[in-house]
Amino acid sequence: MVASYAIVPAAGESRRMGKPKLLLPWKKGRIIDAVLGAWLASQVDQVVVTVRADNRSLQKQCLVHDVEVVVPEQPPIDMKRSVLYGVDYLRRRYQPADADCLLLAPADMPELSAPLIDILLAAHDPEDPRLLAPEVDGKRGHPLLIPWQLAGEIGRLEEDQGINVLCDRLPMALVQSDQAGALVDIDTPEEYQQQRENSDPDHRC
């Protein structure tokens, strides 16, 4: 049986937002609640969240959910490093098989949905290992599914290379979707206000 794992890299410092964005209000909870809720409502078997050691508030909020929190000894310098901490944790904790798969998406995507995640899981074929990502309105979005047998390629990237480089380096297919949440992330106060109003028209920031 194929197992699936999600890594949510939540160890950023929200510099462009100017405040811890993952704890900002979103609908009836916070941004991180919406994100983790989508992962847990999907068919993913296990969700791992990478959080900085000094961000106790976010650690506590994540643990409200049925997820595992990874706290690196040193603050990750970028999202790739956060993901690598998660990969190392999964390797030690679960020893995934080659047929298994790993899914990644930024932690600031509150419109992520379980159906979006599940279409990628349904498209995963261990006999034809390739990266998978949704395509919405001609644009590639998140999450990114990586067959576990290819996950080691993340650690082989150069220091200045992001995980997106793998999309050009490894076999890949795009899965058509109408889930617009695949394209929505939040980095700035302006984006937060706009997306929050879009998701809840009765709300005004």
Side-chain angles (χ1 to χ4, degrees):
M1 183 175 179
V2 175
S4 55
Y5 306 92
I7 295 177
V8 181
E13 298 185 72
S14 304
R15 289 190 178 94
R16 282 184 285 176
M17 181 63 73
K19 63 180 71 173
K21 62 182 173 182
L22 299 183
L23 294 176
L24 290 173
W26 190 269
K27 296 182 179 178
K28 295 182 180 180
R30 302 172 186 269
I31 288 178
I32 192 63
D33 297 321
V35 173
L36 297 183
W39 283 112
L40 292 171
S42 77
Q43 297 180 33
V44 165
D45 293 304
Q46 188 60 52
V47 180
V48 169
V49 190
T50 308
V51 184
R52 292 195 323 275
D54 61 355
N55 198 340
R56 297 294 180 85
S57 296
L58 183 57
Q59 292 176 37
K60 182 178 179 180
Q61 192 65 29
C62 289
L63 289 173
V64 170
H65 305 271
D66 186 19
V67 302
E68 297 181 51
V69 174
V70 174
V71 180
E73 293 182 3
Q74 299 294 328
I77 60 175
D78 54 23
M79 185 179 295
K80 180 178 67 177
R81 189 61 54 182
S82 292
V83 170
L84 285 170
Y85 277 113
V87 169
D88 182 62
Y89 174 84
L90 290 173
R91 184 178 290 116
R92 291 184 285 105
R93 174 75 171 81
Y94 294 102
Q95 300 178 335
D98 282 350
D100 296 341
C101 63
L102 168 68
L103 293 98
L104 311 172
D108 59 357
M109 300 187 69
E111 292 297 282
L112 191 70
S113 70
L116 174 62
I117 296 164
D118 289 343
I119 64 168
L120 295 180
L121 289 172
H124 172 54
D125 180 2
E127 299 299 321
D128 182 22
R130 60 183 59 226
L131 274 58
L132 299 172
E135 183 178 55
V136 181
D137 295 333
K139 299 178 181 178
R140 190 177 76 205
H142 295 284
L144 176 66
L145 182 148
I146 304 177
W148 186 259
Q149 59 188 289
L150 300 177
E153 294 298 319
I154 302 173
R156 298 186 181 95
L157 292 168
E158 298 294 333
E159 191 70 26
D160 61 346
Q161 291 180 321
I163 293 175
N164 61 311
V165 170
L166 297 181
C167 297
D168 298 320
R169 181 178 296 178
L170 300 174
M172 183 173 185
L174 296 177
V175 181
Q176 297 301 311
S177 172
D178 62 357
Q179 297 285 320
L183 307 176
V184 177
D185 65 349
I186 295 175
D187 291 316
T188 67
E190 294 76 19
E191 289 174 352
Y192 171 62
Q193 179 174 339
Q194 179 181 0
Q195 293 302 331
R196 194 178 181 198
E197 291 181 358
N198 289 345
S199 70
D200 184 1
D202 294 329
H203 176 84
R204 295 296 181 268
C205 294

